Amino acid sequence: MNFPTDETGQVLAEMHQAGIDLSVTHKVVFFHLFEQQAQAQTMAAYITENMPNVIVDIHPDETPNVWDLDCTIEIVPSYDNILKQETDFEAIANKFSGYNDGWGIEA
């Protein structure tokens, strides 16, 4: 398989090389960071109301005074699917003063 040379493409290439079947559905987690717990909670409520197929989890980050919102969705982790979902989540996070912090596949 060939993947683009950006960060997402490199991660997918590493997963493929590790033997992960990227042609089937996986639980993909998109990570978001917020300076205030209330911001993370507001985005989580928005996701829960508008995207019922997404599981949300809020927890304190390792960095003090930073909150994580993990959004898990079952998708085929193709390059295009990852970019689209990441772009969609980024637009939502920006509304609530948060930002994307990457993604991964649940083991």
Side-chain angles (χ1 to χ4, degrees), residues 19-70:
I20 296 172
D21 184 351
L22 301 176
S23 67
V24 299
T25 301
H26 290 275
K27 290 182 179 179
V28 180
V29 185
F30 294 86
F31 308 106
H32 308 89
L33 297 177
F34 296 85
E35 292 181 3
Q36 297 176 15
Q37 183 179 11
Q39 295 165 327
Q41 289 171 328
T42 304
M43 179 172 167
Y46 178 89
I47 295 286
T48 300
E49 184 176 324
N50 295 285
M51 303 171 78
N53 59 328
V54 177
I55 298 168
V56 295
D57 177 43
I58 301 170
H59 53 93
D61 190 72
E62 296 171 355
T63 304
N65 302 314
V66 176
W67 290 88
D68 293 350
L69 172 59
D70 302 341

Side-chain angles (χ1 to χ4, degrees), residues 32 34 43 87 89-100:
H32 308 89
F34 296 85
M43 179 172 167
T87 300
F89 279 133
E90 184 174 31
I92 297 167
N94 287 340
K95 290 181 184 180
F96 302 105
S97 301
Y99 61 92
N100 287 359

